[in-house]
Amino acid sequence: MDRISAESITLGKSSPIEGWTVVMNRRKKRRNKDLPKSGNPNPPEVQPASVVDLEVNPERESRLLQKMMLYIKKVETSDFYSTFIHQIGSPEVQNSILRDLNGESKMKMVIYGIGSIESYESPRLQLSLAILMKKSLGWIGDVEVFDPIISLTESRVMETLGCSVLSVNEEGRREAVEKVLFFMPHCDSDLYDHLLETNWGLEKLKNIIILGNSFEKYEQHALLMRNPDTLNSRKHILAAMKFTKEVKINSVLDAFHDLSWHSFHIIHTHLLQLSSIQSVN
Ligand SMILES: C[S@@+](CC[C@H](N)C(=O)[O-])C[C@H]1O[C@@H](n2cnc3c(N)ncnc32)[C@H](O)[C@@H]1O
């Protein structure tokens, strides 16, 4: 689970989302296991299970559902959400990320690495955002979720909220035979790399939109570290930088910090880039 240096404060009227965690010191935060660790000032409200928790408990489920409904409402009425929706409608996102969107067909949203919505605030905020996107954006179709740590209670609540919870760990290797939006909030870099590797070709990369950790940040970090293992585990991310369009999400909220929209614009001069890495397909 993500451990970051942040602080819960009650915010004023103009705050992004009242009373919720905002990034207070960006230098100390950690986005994935490859970055330096810091202590977690926000211990989980409920300890996440080390093995998947299969308890069936209607009261626990109902409490979590109510909590989620509250979070969805709060996100919906936040400054963050109006800015986010406004950005989706902007020429920048419309022309570089959502280009080729066919008005008739819906795009599936696959969510990897949401985390425990019962234990942590960030996963609740992130799931709320996904549910609101599905509600307000006509082009989003079915929503599928997978995280190996999701408990049965969390899974049932997510299903009640309209998501399908997958039972198979794809390790991020979903083949994009049609357009898919991958929402991967703060996943480890391996998962993004697996996704790119599986779809490493002209046609399939065009089908992918990723809302996830900034690839530019990954590149900067990898170039700084020069660690062969890091460079190797991110080789598709790094190679894709030549044809990645990235648009950053504007948020001071920890849950959405460092997230960007990404899409892949491949032209003939990039074909060499594609073939320089051995594809698994
Ligand atoms: C750094 S945490 C991020 C959690 C949450 N989204 C957040 O921002 O706090 C990464 C998450 O990825 C999940 N994960 C690990 N392997 C995965 C896989 N193969 N497919 C989907 N999720 C995975 C972990 O269980 C963990 O919840």
Side-chain angles (χ1 to χ4, degrees), residues 229-248:
D229 290 342
T230 307
L231 292 170
N232 190 45
S233 71
R234 294 182 188 175
K235 66 177 177 227
H236 294 89
I237 298 176
L238 299 175
M241 290 309 288
K242 288 260 185 313
F243 48 78
T244 300
K245 294 266 191 235
E246 174 168 341
V247 178
K248 293 184 172 49

Side-chain angles (χ1 to χ4, degrees), residues 204-221:
K204 287 190 219 150
L205 281 176
K206 275 203 305 203
N207 283 338
I208 293 179
I209 294 175
I210 299 175
L211 177 53
N213 292 359
S214 164
F215 281 17
E216 276 174 20
K217 287 267 167 78
Y218 274 140
E219 185 183 41
Q220 286 163 10
H221 178 249

Side-chain angles (χ1 to χ4, degrees), residues 2 4-11 15-26 29 31 40-43 45 71 80 120-125 186 251-257:
D2 195 24
I4 42 187
S5 179
E7 191 178 326
S8 280
I9 54 167
T10 301
L11 301 164
S15 312
I17 299 181
E18 279 188 40
W20 291 345
T21 308
V22 295
V23 178
M24 296 301 289
N25 184 347
R26 289 169 187 240
K29 78 193 180 317
R31 277 289 137 240
N40 184 1
N42 303 311
E45 296 137 36
Y71 268 72
F80 160 73
Y120 296 99
E121 182 180 73
S122 283
R124 284 194 289 277
L125 290 168
H186 305 155
S251 174
V252 292
L253 285 171
D254 192 40
F256 307 113
H257 188 59

